[in-house]
Each structure stands twice: as structure tokens, then as C-alpha cells.
Amino acid sequence: VYRALVEENARLYFEKREKSAPFIRILIRALVEGPDESRREAARDLATRAAEKAFDRDLIASEGACPPLVELCRRGATDETRGAAAAALGNLAANALIRKRTLPASGAVDALLALCRSPCDDGDGARSACTALRNMAFDAGTKTMIAEAGGVEVACSL
């Protein structure tokens, strides 16, 4: 009976993944292509999905959203766009494996710290970046990486 339950759970997981993955891929493509407004809305949609369900966090990260989100933190045309990307990264950091491996490997620590340091239009980008760094710091190794990259100084200057 237990084996049947495990197999059914696995089947449902992969079925759900097959239904959700195409939409996630479209959002990730929008992060890279198109005007800033499209990129911002895609980042917002990914942030919302990552905030709502652990399944979506796993799917978003496994489909490769972290590097484009990091790039958007660095080069988004507006503070609002950079903030939306930082919010998505912060929500993805709710997953222990993502905050420990995926985000640091994608350069998120440096990009988020740079966003905290930069003069922002209205501060949304810096606030979202600080929240993302806080979420990432729940992992001891990532916390050390943030501190070594100047995170303590950034936090004290805000």
C-alpha cells in the first residue's frame, strides 16, 4: 500500500510539473527578451509564484530562472524592475537548497549587494535586495559569503 502511495504521489508530481513548466519557461524567456516592462512583469509573476508554493520555487529554479533574475538585478532599466527581480530571488531563497547552492552559484550575492549599494529611484530595489539577502542568510555558508562580500557594511549603512 505504501509503495502504491509513493508511486501515485510521484506520478502526480510529474504530471503537475508537465502542466506548469511551459508557463514558467515563457516567463523566464520574458526575463531575457523584450522591453523592460515585460521583464518586470515576468519577474513579478515569478516572485508571486515563488512566494506561494514550494513546488513552484523548485520548478522556477530548476528551469533556470536564477541567472536571468540576477542579470535583471544588475541591469534592469528601472528600480522597479530591479526590485521585482530581487523580490523573486528573495522568494526563491525560501528553499534551503536554492539559497545554499543555486543563488550563490548564479552570482546573486554580489548582484543583490550592488543593488543595496546603488542609489535607487524610490528604494524598492534596495529593500527587495536586503530582504533577499536576509532570506539567503538563513544558510550558514551563504551568510558567510554575504559577510565576506561586504554585507555587514552594507547593512550598517542602510
Side-chain angles (χ1 to χ4, degrees):
V1 173
Y2 177 75
R3 183 179 175 109
L5 287 173
V6 169
E7 289 173 0
E8 180 64 11
N9 190 35
R11 185 189 66 76
L12 292 172
Y13 172 85
F14 287 108
E15 185 177 292
K16 183 177 179 182
R17 184 177 172 91
E18 287 301 312
K19 288 179 184 176
S20 299
F23 181 65
I24 298 299
R25 289 184 196 119
I26 290 168
L27 291 175
I28 293 169
R29 197 167 338 134
L31 291 174
V32 179
E33 302 168 359
D36 191 67
E37 184 178 346
S38 296
R39 293 172 187 211
R40 179 177 57 248
E41 293 308 315
R44 281 183 180 156
D45 285 348
L46 290 170
T48 300
R49 285 179 160 268
E52 292 175 351
K53 297 179 185 166
F55 172 83
D56 286 335
R57 284 190 290 276
D58 295 339
L59 181 59
I60 290 165
S62 70
E63 289 294 328
C66 295
L69 286 167
V70 167
E71 188 62 23
L72 201 54
C73 278
R74 289 187 176 118
R75 293 186 176 70
T78 65
D79 182 53
E80 193 176 0
T81 299
R82 292 186 298 272
L89 291 171
N91 291 343
L92 289 170
N95 175 294
L97 190 58
I98 294 170
R99 75 173 160 256
K100 181 177 185 167
R101 294 195 182 146
T102 308
L103 292 176
S106 67
V109 171
D110 290 333
L112 293 166
L113 285 171
L115 186 53
C116 288
R117 290 181 184 113
S118 70
C120 297
D121 302 336
D122 59 13
D124 283 347
R127 274 193 294 279
S128 295
C130 286
T131 301
L133 288 164
R134 182 202 64 208
N135 291 350
M136 290 174 67
F138 281 106
D139 174 71
T142 307
K143 183 188 300 184
T144 300
M145 184 183 295
I146 293 167
E148 289 173 352
V152 174
E153 293 82 2
V154 168
C156 291
S157 70
L158 297 176

